[in-house]
Amino acid sequence: MLILSLDTSTTVCSVALHKDGVLLGCHELYTERTSAAMLTTLISNVVQQTGHELNQLNAVAVAKGPGSYTGLRIGVSTAKGLCFALDKPLLAINTLAALAAQVRSYFPTDYVLCPMIDARRMEVYCALYTTEGEEIKPTWAQIIDDNSFNEWLIQSPVVFFGDGAAKCRALLGEQTNAIFPDVNVVPSARTVGQLATHAFSENQFENLATFEPFYLKDFMTTQPKKAVL
């Protein structure tokens, strides 16, 4: 089972190749904005440097979001393009689930994991998971204030991580059950591929014709001001 995984949901452009769940190679770029050309270059490098060809793939996996509107659009369109061209199935993995998978083994089973992706102002995209990977609360947009996550913090330690956790730390960092690891945890195709291996075995494939990124919220644009005559 050879799976190519892509994650462009934040400022990391990440590509990984897994065979039967084992990581063969991974290339990552930390940049302010992902481009389609940048992503296709990483794909070519990972596949070639591991001694494989694209037509050997069994599936393509992509981090579906939430995250950057532009990044998600590039990642999903590239993944769908590969699937159409190669006649391969598409697997879609929640970005926050893949983020949580990076830290699961480092904390006791009674801890709750809360991956966070930075959104506008004091808002984050987040979800809650057990250290065994079970989803406790599905993805939602949370505006951070002094009372955020109180219902969880009174029950058990909660680990906050990801690029949105800094907002939370400023307000909740003094609470005993609020845990903020001193490491920078960013989304990666490495764990997208791990979760995609299980999804493949469960035949959790997406409909190529209808699949869209999980933006969570509508993309907001500002209207240009009319010129004063």
Side-chain angles (χ1 to χ4, degrees):
M1 185 195 309
L2 195 64
I3 299 178
L4 178 73
S5 300
L6 318 178
D7 192 328
T8 57
S9 49
T10 61
T11 56
V12 181
C13 181
S14 179
V15 176
L17 189 67
H18 288 78
K19 184 174 184 179
D20 298 328
V22 176
L23 180 66
L24 300 181
C26 180
H27 282 199
E28 295 179 332
L29 288 178
Y30 295 78
T31 178
E32 287 300 316
R33 178 164 296 189
T34 296
S35 70
M38 182 187 305
L39 180 57
T40 53
T41 297
L42 291 188
I43 292 171
S44 177
N45 289 345
V46 167
V47 172
Q48 290 180 11
Q49 291 173 12
T50 56
H52 292 84
E53 297 179 357
L54 285 173
N55 59 16
Q56 294 177 292
L57 296 175
N58 295 105
V60 177
V62 66
K64 67 178 181 179
S68 158
Y69 180 90
T70 301
L72 291 173
R73 180 174 53 80
I74 290 172
V76 168
S77 62
T78 301
K80 290 177 69 172
L82 284 171
C83 290
F84 275 119
L86 301 170
D87 193 23
K88 304 296 181 181
L90 176 67
L91 300 160
I93 304 299
N94 186 295
T95 304
L96 294 170
L99 195 60
Q102 294 188 42
V103 304
R104 278 168 30 190
S105 62
Y106 296 101
F107 297 96
T109 56
D110 60 336
Y111 279 43
V112 172
L113 303 180
C114 184
M116 292 181 159
I117 293 176
D118 192 12
R120 291 185 178 88
R121 300 181 179 87
M122 288 303 292
E123 189 173 40
V124 297
Y125 302 142
C126 55
L128 297 177
Y129 299 90
T130 68
T131 55
E132 296 175 342
E134 179 185 353
E135 184 182 76
I136 301 173
K137 184 174 181 178
T139 304
W140 83 99
Q142 173 72 46
I143 297 176
I144 303 299
D145 59 32
D146 293 333
N147 298 313
S148 299
F149 304 98
N150 277 355
E151 62 181 300
W152 304 101
L153 289 168
I154 62 175
Q155 300 178 49
S156 62
V158 180
V159 184
F160 300 98
F161 54 96
D163 65 5
K167 296 177 179 179
C168 197
R169 187 171 195 167
L171 293 175
L172 306 180
E174 298 301 319
Q175 293 203 33
T176 303
N177 274 344
I179 312 297
F180 293 88
D182 290 324
V183 292
N184 186 28
V185 183
V186 297
S188 173
R190 296 170 184 263
T191 45
V192 171
Q194 291 174 11
L195 298 182
T197 299
H198 175 73
F200 186 98
S201 67
E202 297 291 325
N203 295 318
Q204 296 174 355
F205 304 119
E206 301 295 335
N207 185 318
L208 275 179
T210 61
F211 178 74
E212 294 290 339
F214 177 36
Y215 294 120
L216 187 60
K217 297 179 67 176
D218 292 335
F219 180 58
M220 303 295 293
T221 60
T222 56
Q223 296 294 328
K225 296 181 179 180
K226 294 183 179 180
V228 178
L229 300 178

